[in-house]
Amino acid sequence: MSTVAMITARGLFGRRRALLLLPLPLLLIGLAAICKAYDLEPTQWGEAVLVGLGFAVVLPVVALIVGTGVLGSEVDDGTLVHILTKPLPRRDIILAKFGVAVLATAVTTTIPLFVAGALAGSAKLGLALAVAALVGSFAYTALFLLLSLLTRRPVLLGLVYILIWEGLLGRWVSGTRVLSIEQYVITIAHKLQPTTLLDAEVGLTTAVVMSAVFVVLCTVVAINRLGSFSLAGETS
């Protein structure tokens, strides 16, 4: 399992894909720092930067890049066959790749969100945002890892979920929010550190339970899906 994790980490950070992880987090910190430097009130920019950019763009997009990258490219180029020839349980392969993906996503998103939150309010707000981003890293990564096994266009479907389901429907159709990871992280952050900069639309119980459901269900389905792959790279 550790060998798979090491190979996955080298492959992920050794590709140009890894360079795509940096611009958005740096933009988040940069915008927050500029607003702070010009002494703008957090009420003027906090929600747009922390939620509109941080939770709605940086967190899901980074998770999409990482989640689809740890396994999706191996499915496309056929190197998954090499992994499947190893005497490893499919569960261990998925869990190892999921662990690497979560770690990479969490490190890339929690730090800039903590910094932006501290600039917008306090270290407590920054910590609340970081904890919420950590929860979101688990949920988003599990979903996007599963998509990489279900379709040859996981990035496209992931963008549909982020932009259409969460970005459009999640803001105008209340019933869709119960299946929006973005809403979960907003609620968790708001409950940890209440602030007018965050507008929670779902209950804390819903946010915590549904985050766990996303992680467990997507991981289990991914394990079963990988188990259906034959050595020819196709499902049996």
Side-chain angles (χ1 to χ4, degrees):
M1 186 172 177
S2 60
T3 302
V4 175
M6 290 177 60
I7 293 174
T8 301
R10 285 201 301 266
L12 178 63
F13 294 106
R15 298 181 183 130
R16 293 180 180 178
R17 181 184 297 248
L19 298 177
L20 299 176
L21 302 179
L22 298 178
L24 285 176
L26 293 177
L27 175 62
L28 176 63
I29 295 176
L31 286 178
I34 290 172
C35 293
K36 183 69 173 180
Y38 279 89
D39 292 323
L40 297 177
E41 290 294 326
T43 53
Q44 295 179 279
W45 60 271
E47 183 176 1
V49 173
L50 300 180
V51 178
L53 178 59
F55 281 156
V57 178
V58 176
L59 176 58
V61 170
V62 168
L64 178 62
I65 294 171
V66 175
T68 59
V70 293
L71 190 56
S73 59
E74 294 172 352
V75 175
D76 291 337
D77 62 21
T79 55
L80 179 62
V81 175
H82 175 69
I83 297 176
L84 295 178
T85 60
K86 303 298 181 181
L88 290 172
R90 301 300 190 253
R91 178 191 67 249
D92 290 354
I93 295 174
I94 291 296
L95 292 181
K97 289 182 174 295
F98 177 60
V100 171
V102 169
L103 180 61
T105 302
V107 170
T108 310
T109 59
T110 56
I111 295 175
L113 276 165
F114 173 80
V115 173
L119 292 172
S122 64
K124 289 184 178 180
L125 176 58
L127 182 59
L129 296 177
V131 171
L134 177 61
V135 174
S137 296
F138 275 89
Y140 274 122
T141 301
L143 173 62
F144 297 141
L145 176 62
L146 173 60
L147 289 182
S148 70
L149 287 170
L150 294 179
T151 175
R152 291 186 178 275
R153 293 180 175 82
V155 174
L156 177 60
L157 288 183
L159 288 174
V160 169
Y161 176 77
I162 295 169
L163 299 176
I164 305 300
W165 186 269
E166 294 191 329
L168 182 60
L169 296 179
R171 283 169 173 73
W172 298 103
V173 183
S174 60
T176 63
R177 294 168 188 160
V178 73
L179 293 177
S180 172
I181 298 172
E182 179 190 345
Q183 294 299 325
Y184 308 158
V185 298
I186 292 174
T187 294
I188 292 171
H190 178 69
K191 295 300 181 181
L192 290 174
Q193 182 61 35
T195 173
T196 57
L197 301 179
L198 302 174
D199 186 16
E201 298 287 350
V202 299
L204 179 61
T205 301
T206 298
V208 173
V209 171
M210 289 304 298
S211 294
V213 168
F214 262 91
V215 174
V216 174
L217 182 60
C218 290
T219 303
V220 169
V221 175
I223 292 171
N224 291 334
R225 176 66 175 178
L226 184 62
S228 70
F229 273 70
S230 67
L231 293 184
E234 302 294 338
T235 55
S236 57

